[in-house]
Amino acid sequence: MANKPLTILVAGPDADATRPVENGLAAGAGGNDRIAVLHGFADLPARSAALAPDAVVAVLETPDPATLDGVFRLARSAACAVVLFADKAPPGAAAQAAEAGVAAFVLDGLHPARVRPILETALARFAAFETLKRERDEARTQLADRKLIERAKGILMQQKSLTEEAAYNALRKAAMKQGRRIADIAQSVITAAQIEL
């Protein structure tokens, strides 16, 4: 991550709040990172969507529930890593942050020298979590496809008096002939069987 220039959106209530983060990011960036600063949180979702940053660093002194909720919604969107610095937090805020997907939540620890390592750790954690989600989604898709294929094989075996292997080969042959996935052909077989019933 140190070699790749990052786009970072820093949000805080005012310039005094965001300055330590800006200084910490500038010190370790080597001048390559693109750092955008937003004072106030009302435009955070729109600004984040327009900028498409690698990370959002939010600085909250004493966060109110509405601002925290906005930052948590941004984290839930999984568009980028979210790092949250706060002087204080209401009870349960850390658990809510973790549940929302905030990559790093630091209480009373905003020191410019710590910003870059915290950000890099948050980016690595975010990337690892995204990889896990992608692998989970692929596994779910494969399982759903397998279920469709098994169901379609059963239909073909019953309707055409085929063996399991012959039913699978029929699905595979149709998929190759039509340039489609076997699961898509299986879904067509299932749909056709439902229409006949």
Side-chain angles (χ1 to χ4, degrees):
M1 280 180 221
N3 297 336
K4 177 188 173 261
L6 301 171
T7 300
I8 304 162
L9 175 59
V10 180
D14 53 41
D16 288 337
T18 59
R19 191 170 296 114
V21 172
E22 292 175 72
N23 292 342
L25 292 174
N32 295 329
D33 292 343
R34 177 179 172 207
I35 300 170
V37 180
L38 175 65
H39 295 136
F41 293 94
D43 295 332
L44 183 59
R47 187 79 184 273
S48 179
L51 189 61
D54 296 296
V56 170
V57 180
V59 182
L60 307 172
E61 290 163 343
T62 305
D64 61 276
T67 303
L68 269 179
D69 186 55
V71 173
F72 294 163
R73 272 196 316 270
L74 181 64
R76 278 187 202 97
S77 74
C80 65
V82 175
V83 177
L84 178 57
F85 287 96
D87 289 340
K88 298 176 186 171
Q96 288 176 321
E99 184 180 309
V102 172
F105 186 13
V106 181
L107 286 175
D108 195 24
L110 178 51
H111 304 290
R114 295 179 63 203
V115 171
R116 176 63 59 172
I118 289 170
L119 176 67
E120 289 176 357
T121 302
L123 286 166
R125 180 175 182 259
F126 179 78
F129 190 68
E130 289 300 302
T131 298
L132 287 174
K133 285 196 312 189
R134 186 173 52 254
E135 289 171 353
R136 177 207 61 198
D137 292 345
E138 289 170 1
R140 283 182 177 170
T141 299
Q142 289 172 356
L143 180 60
D145 287 353
R146 208 171 312 135
K147 286 180 179 180
L148 285 175
I149 293 166
E150 290 300 317
R151 191 166 165 204
K153 284 191 317 188
I155 291 168
L156 291 175
M157 289 166 64
Q158 182 181 16
Q159 289 180 349
K160 307 284 185 186
S161 298
L162 297 174
T163 65
E164 184 176 357
E165 184 179 351
Y168 179 77
N169 286 337
L171 291 171
R172 187 172 57 82
K173 185 176 177 182
M176 288 174 32
K177 185 176 180 180
Q178 296 178 31
R180 296 170 58 196
R181 297 179 330 120
I182 295 176
D184 295 336
I185 298 297
Q187 181 62 62
S188 297
V189 169
I190 293 166
T191 302
Q194 290 171 341
I195 291 172
E196 290 175 8
L197 298 176

